[in-house]
Amino acid sequence: QVQLVESGGGLVQAGGSLRLSCAASRRDYTIDAMGWYRQAPGKQRELVATITSGGSTNYADSVKGRFTISGDNAKRTVYLQMDSLKPDDTAVYYCKVKWRLRPGATGSFDAWGQGTLVTVSS
């Protein structure tokens, strides 16, 4: 069982920045990929950005050029640097990790963080 602890959310004015972090509680497994998702009021959860253990990244069109996802394999932590924030970025942000027991193991598992609230005021 893997637990994820998120931090870094808060209230910021439009144009400001925040940095989210998500740390895994266990070190005895292999991480395939980690990502950030968000759910705005009245909307479904959507993908924001993902990063593989090899460093390959993917971003939603709405955040390209403004958000940067990065990871620290040693710390088993993923970050989301959010710059030029807009009111539309207001949402609960969730960290997700895809993991397996060891490299090459059959089957993978997903774990979700508890969510951290980001509020961007105009």
Side-chain angles (χ1 to χ4, degrees), residues 11-51:
L11 174 64
V12 66
Q13 291 184 325
S17 299
L18 286 173
R19 190 185 192 221
L20 308 182
S21 65
C22 175
S25 63
R26 294 181 58 177
R27 309 183 69 85
D28 57 338
Y29 61 90
T30 298
I31 296 175
D32 290 337
M34 299 186 76
W36 290 95
Y37 295 72
R38 67 185 181 186
Q39 187 167 14
K43 295 187 177 181
Q44 295 183 330
R45 188 175 299 184
E46 64 177 354
L47 184 147
V48 177
T50 60
I51 185 170

Side-chain angles (χ1 to χ4, degrees), residues 28-32 53 76 99-107:
D28 57 338
Y29 61 90
T30 298
I31 296 175
D32 290 337
S53 60
R76 301 176 77 79
W99 62 279
R100 61 186 75 236
L101 293 175
R102 56 188 178 277
T106 301

Side-chain angles (χ1 to χ4, degrees), residues 1-4 23-26 28-29 76 97 99 110-112:
Q1 186 175 0
V2 175
Q3 296 182 18
L4 304 178
S25 63
R26 294 181 58 177
D28 57 338
Y29 61 90
R76 301 176 77 79
V97 60
W99 62 279
D110 293 333
W112 290 87

Side-chain angles (χ1 to χ4, degrees), residues 30-111:
T30 298
I31 296 175
D32 290 337
M34 299 186 76
W36 290 95
Y37 295 72
R38 67 185 181 186
Q39 187 167 14
K43 295 187 177 181
Q44 295 183 330
R45 188 175 299 184
E46 64 177 354
L47 184 147
V48 177
T50 60
I51 185 170
T52 68
S53 60
S56 179
T57 59
N58 183 53
Y59 296 92
D61 289 340
S62 60
V63 306
K64 287 182 178 178
R66 300 188 298 117
F67 291 10
T68 302
I69 188 170
S70 62
D72 186 326
N73 288 332
K75 296 181 179 179
R76 301 176 77 79
T77 301
V78 65
Y79 306 93
L80 184 67
Q81 178 67 42
M82 304 184 294
D83 298 320
S84 301
L85 283 163
K86 305 175 181 179
D88 286 347
D89 295 319
T90 295
V92 176
Y93 285 71
Y94 298 90
C95 177
K96 178 186 176 182
V97 60
K98 180 181 180 182
W99 62 279
R100 61 186 75 236
L101 293 175
R102 56 188 178 277
T106 301
S108 61
F109 307 89
D110 293 333

